[in-house]
Amino acid sequence: LWQGEVKIKRAQAEEFEIFAPAPGEKAEIFFGDTITTSEGASAVFNMTDGSIIEVGPNSEVEFVYENDKMIVYLKKGYADVTIGSENFIFRCPRHEIVGPGGRVRLYAPDPNTLTAFGIEDGAVITNEYGLITYLGQGQRIDSTFIEETQTFEVAVHEYCEMDLKIEARGEGRLVEPGSVFTVDRDLNIEIVMIAEEEPEGEEESILDLPPVPEEASDEPFENTGIGRVFLQCNLSDSHS
């Protein structure tokens, strides 16, 4: 019995339909298919290369194949991602997560914004200008594309315990927690806000910071009782 809604739209279809494979059944997912989740629902995709994609509530992902690589594209919403091989890319608005290695939680509320929280060391995030961010465990960035200036503004959250490593044009640098920097199309980086000394008092916790859904722990998205789907995906390039 499946509750809540996980839907699929096949590559050649015009409308979404309910997607609920029987327990233990291998899901038929094809390149070009799109999955959506409703409020409270989630879907876990165990890819054949070892990658694991957990899609959170109110989210949409598309499965595509480009340049001999499997790509899952988060169009909106939440995803918890582990990259299993160099042949797999997780794409989100204006960014890509590559591997192998690392585990990261992502939130994309709109086409210009991405929040990324490192659950395990090793996640590598590249924006469309080519800025590379090495996200470690416990680090979080908010990356926003500013259309008026055609620049990215990246905030490094202050609760991180170590500097954020970034790389542009082959040159690496470290950015302090609590800082904000911009990067333009030519990969010029400008620090627009430098971290200040932390005030005395109780330290703010990742658990208290939106927009990470529920708790930003190392556990998968909580099953709220609405239902979830666990899938072993065999991707193909056709529906025949």
Side-chain angles (χ1 to χ4, degrees):
L1 176 64
W2 296 100
Q3 300 179 12
E5 288 186 343
V6 175
K7 291 185 175 182
I8 187 169
K9 182 168 76 70
R10 299 297 185 181
Q12 307 301 323
E14 296 183 358
E15 298 182 353
F16 284 89
E17 59 185 27
I18 297 296
F19 185 58
E25 178 184 353
K26 288 187 177 181
E28 290 288 331
I29 302 291
F30 301 95
F31 294 117
D33 290 351
T34 299
I35 295 282
T36 64
T37 57
S38 66
E39 180 69 32
S42 61
V44 180
F45 299 92
N46 296 307
M47 314 301 290
T48 54
D49 73 329
S51 298
I52 302 173
I53 311 299
E54 182 165 1
V55 183
N58 298 318
S59 302
E60 180 175 336
V61 294
E62 182 182 5
F63 297 83
V64 297
Y65 189 79
E66 294 179 5
N67 301 320
D68 297 325
K69 293 184 182 292
M70 295 186 295
I71 299 174
V72 176
Y73 177 28
L74 176 67
K75 293 185 173 182
K76 66 175 182 178
Y78 302 95
D80 188 317
V81 181
T82 301
I83 305 296
S85 75
E86 295 179 352
N87 294 321
F88 183 86
I89 295 174
F90 192 85
R91 183 174 293 167
C92 6
R94 299 186 181 274
H95 298 77
E96 289 184 347
I97 291 81
V98 298
R103 182 181 172 194
V104 61
R105 178 158 296 169
L106 305 164
Y107 173 57
D110 59 62
N112 291 323
T113 307
L114 178 70
T115 288
F117 172 67
I119 298 176
E120 296 177 0
D121 288 337
V124 180
I125 303 173
T126 304
N127 73 15
E128 63 183 22
Y129 287 169
L131 178 74
I132 301 173
T133 299
Y134 298 91
L135 198 67
Q137 183 177 8
Q139 291 185 314
R140 172 178 159 179
I141 61 169
D142 295 329
S143 179
T144 303
F145 182 74
I146 311 299
E147 293 189 352
E148 292 81 1
T149 59
Q150 294 292 291
T151 59
F152 285 90
E153 183 178 276
V154 183
V156 185
H157 272 255
E158 65 277 4
Y159 56 73
C160 301
E161 297 182 355
M162 56 184 173
D163 294 345
L164 179 74
K165 182 181 178 181
I166 61 175
E167 182 179 321
R169 297 192 296 265
E171 298 181 0
R173 65 183 295 178
L174 299 176
V175 181
E176 296 179 38
S179 299
V180 177
F181 66 91
T182 62
V183 57
D184 63 17
R185 189 179 298 274
D186 295 323
L187 291 176
N188 297 309
I189 297 171
E190 179 182 359
I191 303 293
V192 296
M193 187 177 76
I194 300 175
E196 299 179 356
E197 185 175 345
E198 293 185 6
E200 295 183 0
E202 186 175 353
E203 183 177 347
E204 191 171 26
S205 168
I206 178 63
L207 303 182
D208 303 324
L209 292 172
V212 176
E214 301 183 3
E215 295 185 353
S217 67
D218 59 358
E219 296 298 321
F221 288 100
E222 288 292 326
N223 180 2
T224 60
I226 304 298
R228 69 195 312 171
V229 184
F230 292 91
L231 306 171
Q232 180 69 38
C233 294
N234 289 333
L235 281 171
S236 304
D237 58 5
S238 70
H239 290 72
S240 58

